[in-house]
Amino acid sequence: KQVALLKALMPDAKTVALLFNPGEVNSIALATLLKDELQQEGFEAIEVGVQSEAEVSTATRKACQRADVILTPTDNMVAATIQLIARIAKENHTPLIVSDNLLVKQGALASRGVDYHASGKEAAKMVQAILFEEKKPADIPIRISDSGEIVINEQVAEILGLDAYRMLE
């Protein structure tokens, strides 16, 4: 869904930088999935690894120079440094699409990612089944909350000269 959002917002983009921490197993797994999806959709995917907060500025500038758009998986390093990443992306007029809806308020252009409120509701249902329905955790199927909600930072869209909502129609 993130790649579909990217295509809708940036239909002329050819290269996408995947900015993530290769030291986080979850980030590697998600970046691999995103890379495969990007390539299937005809994008050139460029991996830009950042292993420490000290490297974020340089890595983000590198991503801006090498790609039309920056895309990030859910990543603790990205979340911790999102304001710096977003500032550099805006300075370079490079759209930043993230996997965590909460990061859009911190300066990213858009997200169609994790909705922690919806995830919390799913977790509550699982806890209820364990506590009140006497189900074993192993018997409860894994659930993925997916609100499908697209979050756009209108101020960033304006800075980038995009009419993001029109592009999504």
Side-chain angles (χ1 to χ4, degrees), residues 115-131 140-145:
D115 179 336
Y116 291 106
H117 183 74
S119 293
K121 285 185 176 184
E122 289 300 320
K125 289 177 188 176
M126 292 178 186
V127 169
Q128 182 177 8
I130 293 167
L131 294 177
I140 299 173
I142 295 173
R143 298 179 191 160
I144 299 173
S145 68

Side-chain angles (χ1 to χ4, degrees), residues 60-92:
T60 304
R61 289 182 204 291
K62 179 179 174 183
C64 290
Q65 291 169 353
R66 296 182 62 198
D68 300 318
V69 181
I70 298 173
L71 179 64
T72 67
T74 306
D75 181 291
N76 293 318
M77 179 83 59
V78 170
T81 60
I82 189 62
Q83 290 179 342
L84 175 61
I85 295 168
R87 181 179 54 78
I88 293 169
K90 283 185 282 190
E91 287 172 357
N92 287 275

Side-chain angles (χ1 to χ4, degrees), residues 19 24 43 48 52 59 67 69 99 103 105 108 118 120 125 132 134 139 142 158 167:
L19 184 66
E24 291 184 34
F43 293 102
V48 181
S52 72
V69 181
S99 300
L103 300 182
K105 290 180 182 178
K125 289 177 188 176
F132 302 111
E134 299 183 15
D139 296 334
I142 295 173
E158 187 176 316
M167 298 171 101

Side-chain angles (χ1 to χ4, degrees), residues 6 25 37 62 92 101 107 112 114 116 143 154 168:
L6 187 151
V25 175
E37 183 70 23
K62 179 179 174 183
N92 287 275
N101 292 351
R112 186 173 188 179
V114 177
Y116 291 106
R143 298 179 191 160
E154 293 180 45
L168 294 174

